[in-house]
């Protein structure tokens, strides 16, 4: 665990170093809760390929002529097979590994090789359709080879010939996309035949969102990712430096684009890069569709696990949510629509009037889903693990004696180790950091401030100063609003004032990116129950406020 914390801290330091040059590429939009490396899985060799079975929670890692089989971050077996790229069928748990050096595809069940299939020379990529059981090989000059079971059953010839280098499958429509590197095209294949050839400079890989049917095509030398839908390029995304490989989470519609030369993983929402993660030469990523974790191989002999520790997306739709308790103790989820508005609220709990504090602080148990913390009247602290669908798994006690604390706030990953943390103020005004251990518990607390009892409100605020580190927002007794920038290592940069006259507000929360512009926003309720949105202006201030609700005086708290 300590090694993982140390390596994660190094990777975050690299993000800080590169944030200024990267920001120049995509502008000032920085994600409120930026994904980061939360763990490193050591394989002892140079990791070059990964595949993940979400049903059995098994990770396959190809490194230096062998495939390591990992469960719960522990290597449980090894297969003496080389793999340039791999894919696993989550329905049958069969793994297919392409060895482009020896022109073979190896079929593996568990740790047993059941078949070795010869494929054309120059084969570069592999894609699997779980629904049909077919495996497609981008086989260089020959086109696309089709494998069913343990046999080659056909070859699809591309109309413009050239060098077929990348391939992907839309698992909901069974359409196949083949990238022609030399001709700068992508061929759409339906029912075994090319139905359309789309001009689009393609390279090492392609990924498909099986819900939106967006097809992501990195264009390495154009420094862009092309997005295809309905047989045409519908948008282009500027990415920082030479994108090569891509994976997409079809639940959150988030794409992860790797640029191994400059050591970057770009996180893409919509049409923009919202954040970057940096470590040595990231390879082709794979997404766990259940936990939304992203596994990325690296030649340092390890696989980076990228998660969003500050996650506030309880419904897994890729947008931040607001949680509020009404006067009867019912807990309500207010999903946002990503553009300053709301989707229909949903009651997600009852009997919550027994809680004296409710905190939305992120993914405390590192399962990829947003969680809640709550303190009851006896001072017990409870973790309510999110189920990813707006509800909760069985709660877990994670502390006691917390009734003495006068403020609790989810700080995000305040100390830079990849796990979300908790800040707490005691009656003497001392501020304590409780570092999260990634399993819902805490490492020993650390004193990080004093004389905080002059603040009437203290909030975890996300990244308000665009340095990719979580900050704290505080209101003093005079109604002044202050930003306390975190330094990414459990300390502070110089505070600055960001508002005045805020003592007319009886509730303030920072839900994340409410407007969809990539910046954290503030919601505040006045004494009349009106809810106001204060969009973050990008220069440590706020744009003109907008009313986004009324009748909110029955809710307490807002988190």
């Amino acid at each position: 665990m300590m090694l993982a914390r140390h390596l994660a801290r190094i990777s975050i330091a690299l993000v800080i170093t590169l944030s200024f040059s990267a920001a120049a590429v995509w502008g000032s939009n920085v994600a409120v809760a930026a994904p980061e490396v939360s763990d490193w899985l050591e394989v002892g060799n140079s990791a070059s390929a990964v595949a993940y079975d979400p049903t059995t929670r098994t990770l396959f890692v190809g490194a230096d002529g062998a495939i390591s089989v990992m469960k719960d971050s522990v290597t449980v077996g090894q297969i003496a097979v080389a793999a340039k790229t791999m894919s696993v069928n989550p329905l049958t748990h069969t793994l297919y590994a392409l060895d482009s050096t020896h022109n073979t595809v190896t079929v593996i069940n568990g740790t047993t090789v059941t078949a070795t299939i010869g494929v054309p020379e120059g084969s570069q990529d592999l894609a699997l359709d779980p629904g049909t059981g077919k495996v497609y090989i981008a086989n260089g000059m020959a086109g696309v080879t089709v494998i069913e079971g343990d046999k080659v059953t056909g070859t699809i010839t591309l109309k413009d010939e050239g060098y077929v280098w990348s391939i992907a499958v839309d698992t909901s429509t069974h359409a196949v996309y083949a990238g022609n590197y030399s001709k700068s095209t992508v061929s759409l294949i339906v029912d075994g035949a090319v139905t359309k050839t789309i001009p689009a400079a393609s390279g090492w890989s392609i990924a498909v969102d099986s819900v939106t049917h967006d097809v992501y095509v990195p264009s390495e030398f154009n420094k862009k990712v092309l997005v295809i839908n309905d047989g045409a390029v519908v948008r282009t995304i500027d990415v920082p430096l030479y994108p090569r490989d891509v994976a997409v989470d079809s639940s959150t519609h988030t794409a992860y684009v790797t640029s191994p030369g400059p050591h970057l993983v770009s996180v893409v929402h919509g049409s923009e890069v919202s954040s970057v993660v940096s470590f040595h030469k990231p390879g082709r990523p794979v997404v766990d569709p259940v936990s939304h974790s992203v596994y990325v191989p690296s030649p340092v002999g390890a696989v980076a696990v990228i998660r969003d520790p500050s996650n506030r997306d309880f419904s897994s739709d890729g947008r931040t949510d607001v949680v509020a308790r009404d006067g009867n103790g019912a807990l309500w989820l207010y999903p946002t629509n990503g553009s300053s508005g709301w989707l229909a609220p949903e009651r997600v709990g009852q009997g919550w009037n027994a809680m004296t504090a409710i905190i939305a602080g992120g993914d405390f148990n590192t399962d990829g889903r947003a969680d809640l913390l709550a303190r009851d009247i006896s001072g017990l602290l409870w973790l309510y693990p999110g189920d990813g669908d707006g509800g909760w798994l069985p709660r877990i006690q994670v502390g006691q004696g917390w009734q003495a604390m006068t403020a609790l706030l989810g700080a995000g990953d305040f100390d830079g180790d990849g796990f979300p943390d908790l800040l707490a103020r005691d009656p003497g005004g001392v501020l304590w950091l409780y570092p999260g251990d990634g399993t819902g518990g805490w490492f020993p607390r650390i004193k990080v401030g004093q004389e905080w009892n002059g603040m009437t409100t203290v909030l975890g605020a996300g990244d308000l100063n665009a340095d990719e580190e979580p900050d704290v927002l505080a209101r003093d007794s005079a109604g002044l609003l202050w930003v306390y920038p975190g330094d990414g290592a459990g300390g502070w940069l110089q505070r600055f004032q960001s508002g005045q006259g805020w003592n007319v507000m009886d509730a303030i929360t920072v839900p994340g990116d409410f407007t969809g512009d990539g910046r954290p926003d503030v919601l505040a309720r006045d004494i009349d129950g009106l809810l106001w949105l204060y969009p973050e202006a990008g220069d440590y201030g706020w744009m003109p406020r907008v009313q986004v609700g009324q009748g909110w005086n029955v809710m307490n708290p807002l988190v």
Side-chain angles (χ1 to χ4, degrees):
M1 176 65 73
M2 293 305 295
L3 176 60
R5 286 165 59 85
H6 176 68
L7 288 171
R9 193 180 297 274
I10 292 173
S11 73
I12 300 305
L14 286 171
V15 172
I16 297 171
T17 303
L18 292 170
S19 62
F20 296 103
S21 60
V25 177
W26 74 77
S28 60
N29 286 357
V30 179
V32 177
E36 58 190 57
V37 175
S38 62
D39 204 359
W40 281 92
L41 307 180
E42 297 182 76
V43 293
N45 293 297
S46 178
S48 58
V50 288
Y52 188 77
D53 185 340
T55 308
T56 62
R57 298 176 62 182
T58 303
L59 179 69
F60 300 91
V61 184
D64 291 346
I67 299 172
S68 295
V69 183
M70 306 186 76
K71 285 194 174 186
D72 298 322
S73 305
V74 177
T75 300
V76 296
Q78 197 169 61
I79 309 163
V81 170
K84 181 181 186 295
T85 185
M86 299 183 288
S87 187
V88 61
N89 189 328
L91 302 179
T92 64
H93 315 299
T94 303
L95 177 72
Y96 293 83
L98 170 65
D99 179 358
S100 57
T101 301
H102 298 96
N103 305 313
T104 59
V105 170
T106 302
V107 185
I108 301 165
N109 282 287
T111 58
T112 302
V113 174
T114 59
T116 301
I117 307 166
V119 292
E121 183 178 356
S123 294
Q124 293 292 324
D125 199 8
L126 174 152
L128 186 149
D129 185 346
T132 64
K134 294 181 179 180
V135 178
Y136 299 92
I137 308 296
N139 61 19
M141 299 297 290
V144 176
T145 297
V146 183
I147 294 172
E148 296 181 65
D150 59 2
K151 295 181 175 61
V152 172
T153 59
T155 299
I156 304 168
T157 303
L158 271 61
K159 295 180 179 179
D160 54 355
E161 298 180 340
Y163 200 91
V164 186
W165 205 332
S166 54
I167 197 156
V169 177
D170 186 331
T171 57
S172 61
T173 66
H174 310 295
V176 179
Y177 295 86
N180 192 320
Y181 181 78
S182 57
K183 298 291 186 177
S184 295
T185 59
V186 173
S187 295
L188 170 59
I189 301 170
V190 178
D191 294 330
V194 176
T195 61
K196 193 162 190 177
T197 300
I198 306 157
S202 63
W204 297 80
S205 71
I206 299 174
V208 185
D209 184 327
S210 61
V211 175
T212 65
H213 312 298
D214 282 343
V215 183
Y216 294 83
V217 184
S219 181
E220 183 175 10
F221 298 108
N222 294 328
K223 303 178 186 178
K224 297 180 183 296
V225 173
L226 309 179
V227 181
I228 296 170
N229 198 303
D230 197 24
V233 175
V234 293
R235 64 183 187 272
T236 60
I237 303 166
D238 293 322
V239 293
L241 305 173
Y242 311 116
R244 179 173 290 188
D245 287 305
V246 60
V248 63
D249 187 330
S250 295
S251 298
T252 65
H253 315 300
T254 304
Y256 299 86
V257 184
T258 62
S259 300
H263 314 294
L264 295 177
V265 181
S266 299
V267 184
V268 176
H269 290 96
S271 297
E272 295 186 359
V273 173
S274 58
S275 62
V276 294
V277 181
S278 181
F279 53 89
H280 184 67
K281 292 188 180 300
R284 179 177 298 189
V286 65
V287 174
D288 175 0
V290 177
S291 73
H292 311 293
S293 300
V294 184
Y295 298 92
V296 190
S298 169
V300 298
V303 175
V305 185
I306 298 176
R307 300 186 181 97
D308 182 356
S310 302
N311 186 3
R312 289 184 56 114
D313 177 16
F314 295 98
S315 56
S316 300
D317 63 356
R319 308 182 190 93
T320 188
D321 302 312
V322 173
V323 176
R325 178 183 59 190
D326 68 22
N328 296 319
L331 198 66
W332 293 86
L333 176 69
Y334 287 83
T336 67
N337 65 6
S339 56
S340 305
W342 307 96
L343 303 176
E346 178 184 357
R347 190 171 73 173
V348 293
Q350 57 187 4
W352 283 72
N353 42 10
M355 298 298 175
T356 59
I358 303 173
I359 307 102
D363 176 20
F364 286 99
N365 60 358
T366 61
D367 67 352
R369 306 178 181 97
D371 307 318
L372 279 183
L373 290 172
R375 180 186 63 190
D376 66 22
I377 56 177
S378 64
L380 298 179
L381 192 66
W382 298 92
L383 171 66
Y384 287 80
D387 65 2
D389 195 30
W392 318 105
L393 303 176
R395 72 178 187 174
I396 304 164
Q397 185 183 332
V398 293
Q400 59 185 355
W402 286 75
Q403 67 270 31
M405 296 298 179
T406 61
L408 299 174
L409 56 145
D413 179 18
F414 193 75
D415 60 2
D417 67 352
F419 305 123
D421 308 314
L422 189 65
L423 288 172
R425 182 183 62 190
D426 69 21
V430 175
L431 195 65
W432 297 92
L433 170 67
Y434 289 80
D437 66 3
T439 65
W442 317 102
F443 292 112
R445 71 178 187 174
I446 303 166
K447 182 179 177 180
V448 293
Q450 57 189 5
E451 298 182 357
W452 280 75
N453 45 11
M455 298 296 174
T456 60
T457 300
V458 187
L459 302 165
D463 177 20
L464 290 173
N465 64 345
D467 66 354
E468 304 230 359
E469 304 299 343
D471 307 319
V472 167
L473 192 66
R475 177 184 60 183
D476 66 22
S477 56
L480 299 179
L481 201 63
W482 297 91
V483 174
Y484 288 80
D487 66 3
W492 308 98
L493 304 177
Q494 182 65 40
R495 75 171 188 173
F496 56 86
Q497 184 183 331
S498 66
Q500 58 185 354
W502 284 74
N503 43 10
V504 299
M505 298 296 178
D506 63 5
I508 305 171
T509 187
V510 186
D513 179 16
F514 191 82
T515 61
D517 65 356
R519 305 184 184 103
D521 307 308
V522 167
L523 290 175
R525 182 187 62 200
D526 65 24
I527 57 175
D528 295 320
L530 299 179
L531 193 64
W532 298 93
L533 167 67
Y534 289 81
E536 209 266 333
D539 56 359
Y540 315 148
W542 314 101
M543 291 186 281
R545 70 179 188 175
V546 181
Q547 184 183 331
V548 292
Q550 58 186 356
W552 282 74
N553 41 8
V554 300
M555 297 293 184
N556 185 42
L558 308 179
V559 294

